[in-house]
Amino acid sequence: MSSAAPGRFVSSRSLLRIAFWFVLLAAASYTTADPDLWGHLRFGLDILRDGTVATVDPYSFSADLPWVNHEWGSEVITASAFTMGGSPGLVLLKVTMLGVVLALLLSSLRERGVDASVDRDVLAAIAVLGTMEQTHHVRPQLFSIVCFSVLLWSLTATGRRARWGFWIIPAVFMLWANLHGGWMVGGAVLGVWVVGLAFNGHRSNAMWYAVAGAAALAGTLVTPYGFGLWRFLYETVGFGRADVIEWQAVYALTWDAWARWATILGVGIAGLAATRRTERRLEVIAVVAALAFASFMVVRLLAFFTLSVLYLFGPALSRKYQEMRTTRISMPLPPWRTRLLASAAAVTIVFAASLSAANAMQVRIDPRHTPETDAVDFLRSQPGSKRLLVWFDWGEYAIWHLSPAMRVSIDGRRETVYSSRVQDEHLRFFFDAPGGAALPYTLAADYVWIPRELPAARRLDAEGWRKCYEGPTSVIFARAGLNVTPPRPALTATAASVFPGP
């Protein structure tokens, strides 16, 4: 009888751990479409079809810059996943990328002495939750998070792996530069790491990482744009993007952004406090502090901050927790409680597995931020090639559903094809700011498709533009004298809920 109790306890603990990972899988597999997903897929499919990266944009009639598609590599991978598996293929791609992130983190933690499975599980959960705001979409930022994980995995290498870990870095940056512009964050972290090592007296390691960094920088030239990519990122990347929520500072957003950032900051402070004084390294503290500030100023960098805290302070947190555990007296659980925990774990596994299976089959569309399906049908039914002045967030949605018959005035590619002047003119028009009212006329737009609550909708109505369609979310105006096919009557005016929509 005495030997059966430990068996039951181990079985219950294993079930609880399985349930824990199934819950993480359910959270990681939940996927929604951000406004740019339609465009990323369309552009990736074009590259697969043509075998080349376009430099002239065929989708907009107001684009006034050469197209610098610095995310072309991630678009090709995403389009390939969609071609092979549809929406489930996109979800599988995202979950696989997150799996790589967690595998690298757990490998690094285990290598540096985090032996307790419960510690690694908790740190993995923090990684999933801390990066979720950036990873619940399928988008190029996801590839940056993977590449950043490889960088941290290399920087924290020990033993023999530390020797050849130097040379992983240039290869990662060469790939990264073709996937997403986040390689600049990785480059800044590597620079801070080298300076910290040099000031800390580890000049030999600093020299090797500096050599690897120089090779990595050269590797970022291996793109379709060469030095043009550097020039483009220098001119466009910064903190000031007032019209994009993810580029806002934490203090400008709601309480949930504060809560996420403050939680990771708290974990980082606890990790620093748990690190022995003799083991506190300047390069580690400098990297975490720099990313704490950067993610406070641009909330989309929170994923990088999260991973840096877990990689660099995870072992210290684990050791401190294990020291605290040894001071406690652990009592064996009574059999009834063990059975109760096992039953709860089994129910959780079944529920989380079914939820994960449902998540794996679809990419959800938020109907609150998506135009109605019958608005798309109306625009599709119009004869001839038309010029569509469209709301910024709907530009790539319109490209997917309406091209080549209609070309858009603006979309989420922003400075990759549109100058700051074009972007500013659209913002002034949308919100009826001084100088914005003339935009539909200067662009010679045939149709205007915008949210019905925008101030621009009231102005167009007052100026005599023909209202052709009006739904709960959007309104479509046509210029005077345009031959318009009347919309077909619809029983309901709803937005699509599953990607890619109508």
Side-chain angles (χ1 to χ4, degrees):
M1 187 73 179
S2 60
S3 62
R8 287 197 300 269
F9 175 71
V10 171
S11 176
S12 301
R13 184 173 60 185
S14 299
L15 277 174
L16 285 171
R17 192 177 183 206
I18 294 170
F20 178 86
W21 277 97
F22 265 100
V23 170
L24 283 187
L25 177 61
S29 60
Y30 181 81
T31 310
T32 60
D34 78 327
D36 296 335
L37 179 57
W38 288 271
H40 290 314
L41 274 181
R42 171 53 59 206
F43 310 143
L45 291 170
D46 290 348
I47 296 171
L48 290 174
R49 180 197 64 206
D50 301 334
T52 186
V53 180
T55 57
V56 178
D57 170 45
Y59 294 107
S60 172
F61 63 87
S62 64
D64 57 348
L65 295 177
W67 188 5
V68 181
N69 187 358
H70 63 291
E71 299 167 338
W72 73 272
S74 59
E75 290 174 348
V76 167
I77 296 172
T78 303
S80 300
F82 183 75
T83 300
M84 290 185 289
S87 290
L90 295 178
V91 178
L92 178 60
L93 173 65
K94 192 197 79 164
V95 172
T96 301
M97 293 295 98
L98 286 174
V100 171
V101 170
L102 293 181
L104 290 170
L105 173 62
L106 296 177
S107 169
S108 178
L109 293 173
R110 189 182 295 109
E111 182 182 63
R112 291 180 294 143
V114 182
D115 298 321
S117 59
V118 64
D119 294 4
R120 295 196 300 269
D121 291 350
V122 170
L123 293 172
I126 296 173
V128 170
L129 296 176
T131 61
M132 185 172 291
E133 191 65 22
Q134 287 74 43
T135 59
H136 68 280
H137 302 304
V138 182
R139 53 184 181 175
Q141 288 90 327
L142 188 62
F143 295 91
S144 263
I145 292 172
V146 174
C147 291
F148 188 70
S149 297
V150 177
L151 174 63
L152 290 175
W153 183 76
S154 299
L155 294 178
T156 56
T158 60
R160 291 184 177 180
R161 189 166 69 79
R163 300 176 184 176
W164 54 265
F166 291 115
W167 308 114
I168 295 177
I169 294 174
V172 169
F173 273 83
M174 185 172 64
L175 178 65
W176 199 348
N178 290 281
L179 295 171
H180 185 247
W183 65 267
M184 297 182 70
V185 177
V189 165
L190 182 56
V192 171
W193 190 267
V194 170
V195 172
L197 283 172
F199 273 94
N200 220 21
H202 301 287
R203 295 185 179 178
S204 176
N205 282 343
M207 181 192 69
W208 280 109
Y209 277 117
V211 171
L217 186 62
T220 63
L221 293 172
V222 186
T223 72
Y225 309 103
F227 284 103
L229 178 65
W230 289 8
R231 182 173 60 253
F232 167 77
L233 293 174
Y234 173 78
E235 294 172 350
T236 59
V237 173
F239 290 118
R241 296 190 179 185
D243 53 330
V244 180
I245 291 177
E246 279 195 333
W247 283 86
Q248 302 308 299
V250 170
Y251 61 78
L253 300 176
T254 53
W255 67 270
D256 57 317
W258 274 100
R260 291 192 301 270
W261 183 82
T263 298
I264 302 304
L265 179 65
V267 174
I269 293 173
L272 178 61
T275 304
R276 300 187 182 103
R277 288 184 178 273
T278 55
E279 296 177 352
R280 291 178 182 174
R281 297 162 53 189
L282 179 60
E283 66 273 16
V284 168
I285 297 173
V287 164
V288 173
L291 287 172
F293 173 76
S295 61
F296 184 77
M297 298 303 298
V298 177
V299 74
R300 78 183 303 176
L301 299 179
L302 181 61
F304 298 108
F305 179 34
T306 298
L307 291 173
S308 71
V309 167
L310 297 177
Y311 268 93
L312 301 178
F313 288 141
L317 287 168
S318 174
R319 183 180 61 241
K320 186 64 176 179
Y321 175 68
Q322 293 303 321
E323 290 173 356
M324 294 170 60
R325 285 189 64 188
T326 58
T327 63
R328 301 174 183 172
I329 300 176
S330 58
M331 301 293 292
L333 294 175
W336 68 269
R337 189 171 294 181
T338 300
R339 289 192 291 270
L340 181 62
L341 287 174
S343 300
V347 171
T348 302
I349 290 171
V350 172
F351 176 76
S354 61
L355 188 59
S356 300
N359 289 342
M361 299 308 297
Q362 59 187 335
V363 175
R364 293 173 173 84
I365 299 175
D366 190 342
R368 297 172 300 174
H369 309 301
T370 310
E372 302 84 357
T373 57
D374 50 341
V376 176
D377 292 337
F378 165 71
L379 289 169
R380 278 177 174 167
S381 68
Q382 303 310 308
S385 298
K386 305 296 180 183
R387 297 157 71 94
L388 178 66
L389 198 169
V390 65
W391 172 237
F392 174 83
D393 282 347
W394 299 346
E396 294 183 44
Y397 180 86
I399 287 173
W400 176 269
H401 290 294
L402 302 173
S403 65
M406 287 193 174
R407 291 193 297 163
V408 301
S409 65
I410 195 77
D411 64 86
R413 288 172 294 172
R414 297 174 52 91
E415 57 277 338
T416 61
V417 292
Y418 304 105
S419 66
S420 58
R421 177 188 60 81
V422 172
Q423 297 176 59
D424 182 66
E425 287 175 348
H426 276 78
L427 289 174
R428 290 179 177 277
F429 165 70
F430 292 144
F431 297 101
D432 202 18
L439 186 63
Y441 307 98
T442 57
L443 291 182
D446 297 307
Y447 294 94
V448 178
W449 188 21
I450 56 177
R452 56 180 296 177
E453 293 84 5
L454 282 184
R458 295 190 292 272
R459 173 180 284 276
L460 291 172
D461 206 17
E463 290 182 349
W465 280 68
R466 180 181 176 185
K467 187 182 293 183
C468 304
Y469 171 87
E470 185 171 16
T473 301
S474 71
V475 60
I476 300 174
F477 293 93
R479 62 176 172 81
L482 187 67
N483 183 24
V484 176
T485 300
R488 290 172 293 185
L491 296 177
T492 58
T494 59
S497 60
V498 179
F499 183 85

